[in-house]
Amino acid sequence: MADLITVDDPDDPRLSDYIGLTDVELRRRREPAEGLFIAEGEKVIRRARHAGYEMRSMLLSAKWVDVMRDVIDEVPAPVYAVAPELAERVTGYHVHRGALASMQRKPLPTAEELLTTARRVVVMESVNDHTNIGAIFRSAAALGMDAVLLSPDCADPLYRRSVKVSMGAVFSVPYARLEAWPKGLETVREVGFRLLALTPDAKATSIDEAAPHRLERVALMLGAEGEGLSTKALMAADEWVRIPMAHGVDSLNVGAAAAVAFYAVATGRPES
């Protein structure tokens, strides 16, 4: 059973995991180095625990103590009860959901380990917007993608904003980082995946015509918002595919495009 500790000093060192949550550069450096991430909101905290992440501590405003009572009673980590004003001073923003938890990261699997059993894989290149990362993971979980591979410069899926937007789906889809880019794509191809690069380029094949749902193993490549996939990544692909557009629209937000493409890639969809 956790201890419920009332804290009224924003400089209390026990709250150090929660300091400056809106300072993106600070958190990018600190969280992976210290092996932690922040889960925000009741549902996300519960999903992180269900996924097997160990809790370091929890920060609650008073009205959330009863809501989280079962978690408080189950975990050995300390629980800090604070006033909303103090939480805002520590974190740098108004904590609308009133519940934060510092969680311990797990070691990441290798790409080779994930590819052993996967059949539908997402490959992201240079996706650095945390909202897009979270949206892509949520769609990947909902539409049956087996794993996510990240280029070395992709944003952290366990950054607070990514976790929040994904509603905890980052815990449901395993992911790994490719150590070299785009050379690491050879690892994906060598185990039988067909690399499909999603691009609005007119030379690309319509994703319906490509019929990726009929392929045994598919790796769908997504690029960053605006820039899209790099020339090197496009050249490394087996095929370019595009989502047909209407009304003069030339492209979709990468999060929306990912959801459409995941449905097209998914097995078990009805044949036309």
Side-chain angles (χ1 to χ4, degrees), residues 8-40:
D8 55 15
D9 179 2
D11 296 320
D12 192 312
R14 293 173 294 182
L15 304 184
S16 63
D17 282 2
Y18 305 96
I19 291 173
L21 295 187
T22 58
D23 188 332
V24 178
E25 289 306 316
L26 171 67
R27 303 306 299 196
R28 279 176 175 169
R29 293 192 305 270
R30 182 184 173 196
E31 291 185 10
E34 296 184 18
L36 67 93
F37 70 92
I38 299 297
E40 180 177 3

Short mmCIF file of all heavy atoms in Angstrom, two decimals, residues 8-40:
data_model
loop_
_atom_site.label_atom_id
_atom_site.label_comp_id
_atom_site.label_asym_id
_atom_site.label_seq_id
_atom_site.Cartn_x
_atom_site.Cartn_y
_atom_site.Cartn_z
N ASP A 8 3.15 20.71 0.67
CA ASP A 8 2.73 22.10 0.47
C ASP A 8 3.88 23.01 0.06
O ASP A 8 3.73 24.23 0.00
CB ASP A 8 2.03 22.65 1.71
CG ASP A 8 2.89 22.53 2.96
OD1 ASP A 8 4.11 22.29 2.84
OD2 ASP A 8 2.33 22.67 4.07
N ASP A 9 5.03 22.40 -0.27
CA ASP A 9 6.19 23.19 -0.69
C ASP A 9 6.54 22.82 -2.13
O ASP A 9 6.92 21.68 -2.40
CB ASP A 9 7.38 22.88 0.23
CG ASP A 9 8.64 23.64 -0.15
OD1 ASP A 9 8.59 24.45 -1.11
OD2 ASP A 9 9.69 23.41 0.49
N PRO A 10 6.43 23.76 -3.09
CA PRO A 10 6.73 23.44 -4.49
C PRO A 10 8.19 23.07 -4.73
O PRO A 10 8.51 22.47 -5.75
CB PRO A 10 6.36 24.72 -5.23
CG PRO A 10 6.44 25.79 -4.21
CD PRO A 10 6.02 25.16 -2.92
N ASP A 11 9.06 23.40 -3.78
CA ASP A 11 10.48 23.06 -3.92
C ASP A 11 10.84 21.76 -3.22
O ASP A 11 12.02 21.41 -3.12
CB ASP A 11 11.35 24.20 -3.35
CG ASP A 11 11.17 25.49 -4.14
OD1 ASP A 11 11.08 25.41 -5.38
OD2 ASP A 11 11.10 26.57 -3.50
N ASP A 12 9.85 21.04 -2.75
CA ASP A 12 10.10 19.75 -2.09
C ASP A 12 10.80 18.82 -3.09
O ASP A 12 10.28 18.56 -4.17
CB ASP A 12 8.78 19.13 -1.64
CG ASP A 12 8.98 17.94 -0.70
OD1 ASP A 12 9.79 17.06 -1.03
OD2 ASP A 12 8.30 17.89 0.34
N PRO A 13 11.99 18.31 -2.76
CA PRO A 13 12.73 17.47 -3.71
C PRO A 13 12.01 16.19 -4.10
O PRO A 13 12.31 15.59 -5.14
CB PRO A 13 14.04 17.17 -2.97
CG PRO A 13 13.74 17.41 -1.52
CD PRO A 13 12.73 18.51 -1.50
N ARG A 14 11.04 15.78 -3.31
CA ARG A 14 10.28 14.57 -3.66
C ARG A 14 9.41 14.75 -4.89
O ARG A 14 8.95 13.78 -5.49
CB ARG A 14 9.43 14.13 -2.46
CG ARG A 14 10.24 13.65 -1.27
CD ARG A 14 9.38 13.38 -0.06
NE ARG A 14 8.75 14.60 0.46
CZ ARG A 14 7.98 14.64 1.55
NH1 ARG A 14 7.73 13.52 2.23
NH2 ARG A 14 7.44 15.78 1.96
N LEU A 15 9.18 16.01 -5.28
CA LEU A 15 8.37 16.30 -6.46
C LEU A 15 9.24 16.52 -7.71
O LEU A 15 8.74 16.97 -8.73
CB LEU A 15 7.51 17.55 -6.22
CG LEU A 15 6.58 17.54 -5.00
CD1 LEU A 15 5.74 18.81 -4.99
CD2 LEU A 15 5.70 16.31 -4.99
N SER A 16 10.50 16.19 -7.64
CA SER A 16 11.43 16.53 -8.72
C SER A 16 11.06 15.90 -10.06
O SER A 16 11.34 16.48 -11.11
CB SER A 16 12.86 16.13 -8.34
OG SER A 16 12.96 14.72 -8.17
N ASP A 17 10.43 14.74 -10.06
CA ASP A 17 10.05 14.11 -11.33
C ASP A 17 9.06 14.96 -12.12
O ASP A 17 8.94 14.81 -13.35
CB ASP A 17 9.42 12.74 -11.09
CG ASP A 17 10.45 11.66 -10.79
OD1 ASP A 17 11.65 11.98 -10.73
OD2 ASP A 17 10.04 10.49 -10.61
N TYR A 18 8.34 15.85 -11.44
CA TYR A 18 7.25 16.61 -12.07
C TYR A 18 7.62 18.05 -12.41
O TYR A 18 6.78 18.80 -12.90
CB TYR A 18 6.03 16.59 -11.14
CG TYR A 18 5.60 15.21 -10.76
CD1 TYR A 18 6.02 14.64 -9.55
CD2 TYR A 18 4.82 14.43 -11.61
CE1 TYR A 18 5.65 13.34 -9.21
CE2 TYR A 18 4.45 13.14 -11.26
CZ TYR A 18 4.88 12.60 -10.06
OH TYR A 18 4.52 11.32 -9.73
N ILE A 19 8.85 18.43 -12.17
CA ILE A 19 9.25 19.82 -12.38
C ILE A 19 9.33 20.15 -13.87
O ILE A 19 9.92 19.41 -14.66
CB ILE A 19 10.61 20.10 -11.71
CG1 ILE A 19 10.46 20.05 -10.19
CG2 ILE A 19 11.17 21.46 -12.14
CD1 ILE A 19 11.79 20.15 -9.45
N GLY A 20 8.73 21.29 -14.25
CA GLY A 20 8.89 21.81 -15.60
C GLY A 20 8.39 20.91 -16.71
O GLY A 20 9.06 20.72 -17.71
N LEU A 21 7.19 20.39 -16.56
CA LEU A 21 6.67 19.45 -17.58
C LEU A 21 6.40 20.13 -18.92
O LEU A 21 6.28 19.45 -19.94
CB LEU A 21 5.39 18.78 -17.08
CG LEU A 21 5.53 17.86 -15.86
CD1 LEU A 21 4.20 17.14 -15.60
CD2 LEU A 21 6.65 16.86 -16.03
N THR A 22 6.31 21.45 -18.95
CA THR A 22 6.09 22.15 -20.22
C THR A 22 7.41 22.54 -20.90
O THR A 22 7.40 23.06 -22.02
CB THR A 22 5.26 23.42 -20.01
OG1 THR A 22 5.93 24.28 -19.09
CG2 THR A 22 3.88 23.07 -19.47
N ASP A 23 8.52 22.29 -20.26
CA ASP A 23 9.84 22.59 -20.84
C ASP A 23 10.26 21.40 -21.70
O ASP A 23 10.86 20.44 -21.21
CB ASP A 23 10.86 22.85 -19.72
CG ASP A 23 12.19 23.37 -20.24
OD1 ASP A 23 12.54 23.04 -21.39
OD2 ASP A 23 12.89 24.07 -19.49
N VAL A 24 9.93 21.46 -22.99
CA VAL A 24 10.11 20.31 -23.87
C VAL A 24 11.56 19.87 -23.94
O VAL A 24 11.88 18.68 -23.84
CB VAL A 24 9.57 20.61 -25.29
CG1 VAL A 24 9.81 19.43 -26.21
CG2 VAL A 24 8.08 20.94 -25.23
N GLU A 25 12.48 20.81 -24.11
CA GLU A 25 13.89 20.45 -24.24
C GLU A 25 14.42 19.81 -22.96
O GLU A 25 15.17 18.83 -23.01
CB GLU A 25 14.72 21.68 -24.61
CG GLU A 25 14.50 22.15 -26.03
CD GLU A 25 14.70 21.04 -27.06
OE1 GLU A 25 15.69 20.28 -26.92
OE2 GLU A 25 13.87 20.91 -27.96
N LEU A 26 14.03 20.37 -21.81
CA LEU A 26 14.45 19.79 -20.54
C LEU A 26 13.94 18.36 -20.41
O LEU A 26 14.70 17.45 -20.05
CB LEU A 26 13.92 20.64 -19.38
CG LEU A 26 14.09 20.04 -17.97
CD1 LEU A 26 15.56 19.96 -17.61
CD2 LEU A 26 13.33 20.87 -16.94
N ARG A 27 12.66 18.15 -20.69
CA ARG A 27 12.09 16.81 -20.52
C ARG A 27 12.64 15.82 -21.55
O ARG A 27 12.83 14.65 -21.23
CB ARG A 27 10.55 16.89 -20.62
CG ARG A 27 9.87 17.81 -19.65
CD ARG A 27 10.22 17.57 -18.19
NE ARG A 27 9.85 16.24 -17.70
CZ ARG A 27 9.76 15.90 -16.42
NH1 ARG A 27 10.02 16.81 -15.48
NH2 ARG A 27 9.44 14.67 -16.05
N ARG A 28 12.92 16.28 -22.77
CA ARG A 28 13.52 15.40 -23.78
C ARG A 28 14.87 14.87 -23.32
O ARG A 28 15.23 13.73 -23.57
CB ARG A 28 13.69 16.15 -25.10
CG ARG A 28 12.45 16.24 -25.96
CD ARG A 28 12.74 17.08 -27.19
NE ARG A 28 11.62 17.11 -28.11
CZ ARG A 28 11.54 17.93 -29.14
NH1 ARG A 28 12.53 18.79 -29.39
NH2 ARG A 28 10.50 17.91 -29.94
N ARG A 29 15.63 15.75 -22.67
CA ARG A 29 16.96 15.34 -22.19
C ARG A 29 16.84 14.47 -20.93
O ARG A 29 17.53 13.47 -20.79
CB ARG A 29 17.82 16.56 -21.88
CG ARG A 29 18.21 17.39 -23.07
CD ARG A 29 19.30 18.40 -22.70
NE ARG A 29 18.92 19.24 -21.59
CZ ARG A 29 18.28 20.41 -21.70
NH1 ARG A 29 17.92 20.86 -22.90
NH2 ARG A 29 17.99 21.13 -20.63
N ARG A 30 15.96 14.89 -20.05
CA ARG A 30 15.95 14.30 -18.73
C ARG A 30 15.27 12.93 -18.65
O ARG A 30 15.80 12.00 -18.03
CB ARG A 30 15.24 15.26 -17.76
CG ARG A 30 15.22 14.74 -16.35
CD ARG A 30 14.45 15.63 -15.40
NE ARG A 30 14.36 14.96 -14.12
CZ ARG A 30 13.52 15.29 -13.16
NH1 ARG A 30 12.72 16.32 -13.33
NH2 ARG A 30 13.48 14.62 -12.03
N GLU A 31 14.10 12.82 -19.27
CA GLU A 31 13.30 11.62 -19.04
C GLU A 31 13.97 10.33 -19.52
O GLU A 31 14.05 9.36 -18.76
CB GLU A 31 11.90 11.81 -19.64
CG GLU A 31 11.08 12.86 -18.89
CD GLU A 31 9.66 12.98 -19.39
OE1 GLU A 31 9.23 12.13 -20.20
OE2 GLU A 31 8.96 13.92 -18.97
N PRO A 32 14.44 10.27 -20.77
CA PRO A 32 15.12 9.02 -21.18
C PRO A 32 16.38 8.75 -20.34
O PRO A 32 16.67 7.60 -19.99
CB PRO A 32 15.46 9.26 -22.65
CG PRO A 32 14.49 10.31 -23.09
CD PRO A 32 14.31 11.19 -21.90
N ALA A 33 17.13 9.82 -20.01
CA ALA A 33 18.36 9.65 -19.25
C ALA A 33 18.08 9.08 -17.86
O ALA A 33 18.86 8.25 -17.35
CB ALA A 33 19.09 10.99 -19.13
N GLU A 34 16.98 9.50 -17.24
CA GLU A 34 16.66 9.04 -15.90
C GLU A 34 15.71 7.84 -15.91
O GLU A 34 15.34 7.33 -14.85
CB GLU A 34 16.05 10.18 -15.09
CG GLU A 34 17.02 11.33 -14.87
CD GLU A 34 16.46 12.42 -13.99
OE1 GLU A 34 15.47 12.16 -13.26
OE2 GLU A 34 16.98 13.54 -14.02
N GLY A 35 15.31 7.40 -17.10
CA GLY A 35 14.47 6.21 -17.20
C GLY A 35 13.06 6.39 -16.71
O GLY A 35 12.45 5.45 -16.19
N LEU A 36 12.50 7.59 -16.90
CA LEU A 36 11.14 7.83 -16.44
C LEU A 36 10.29 8.43 -17.56
O LEU A 36 10.79 8.89 -18.57
CB LEU A 36 11.13 8.77 -15.23
CG LEU A 36 11.57 10.23 -15.44
CD1 LEU A 36 10.36 11.13 -15.73
CD2 LEU A 36 12.30 10.75 -14.22
N PHE A 37 8.99 8.40 -17.38
CA PHE A 37 8.06 9.17 -18.21
C PHE A 37 6.86 9.52 -17.36
O PHE A 37 6.65 8.95 -16.28
CB PHE A 37 7.65 8.41 -19.47
CG PHE A 37 6.75 7.21 -19.24
CD1 PHE A 37 5.37 7.34 -19.28
CD2 PHE A 37 7.29 5.95 -19.01
CE1 PHE A 37 4.54 6.24 -19.08
CE2 PHE A 37 6.47 4.86 -18.81
CZ PHE A 37 5.10 5.00 -18.84
N ILE A 38 6.07 10.49 -17.83
CA ILE A 38 4.92 10.97 -17.07
C ILE A 38 3.62 10.52 -17.74
O ILE A 38 3.41 10.72 -18.93
CB ILE A 38 4.93 12.52 -16.98
CG1 ILE A 38 6.20 13.00 -16.27
CG2 ILE A 38 3.68 13.02 -16.27
CD1 ILE A 38 6.34 12.55 -14.83
N ALA A 39 2.77 9.89 -16.95
CA ALA A 39 1.43 9.52 -17.39
C ALA A 39 0.44 10.51 -16.79
O ALA A 39 0.50 10.79 -15.58
CB ALA A 39 1.09 8.10 -16.96
N GLU A 40 -0.46 11.03 -17.61
CA GLU A 40 -1.38 12.07 -17.17
C GLU A 40 -2.83 11.62 -17.31
O GLU A 40 -3.25 11.20 -18.39
CB GLU A 40 -1.17 13.35 -17.99
CG GLU A 40 -2.10 14.49 -17.59
CD GLU A 40 -1.82 15.76 -18.37
OE1 GLU A 40 -0.95 15.74 -19.26
OE2 GLU A 40 -2.48 16.77 -18.10
#
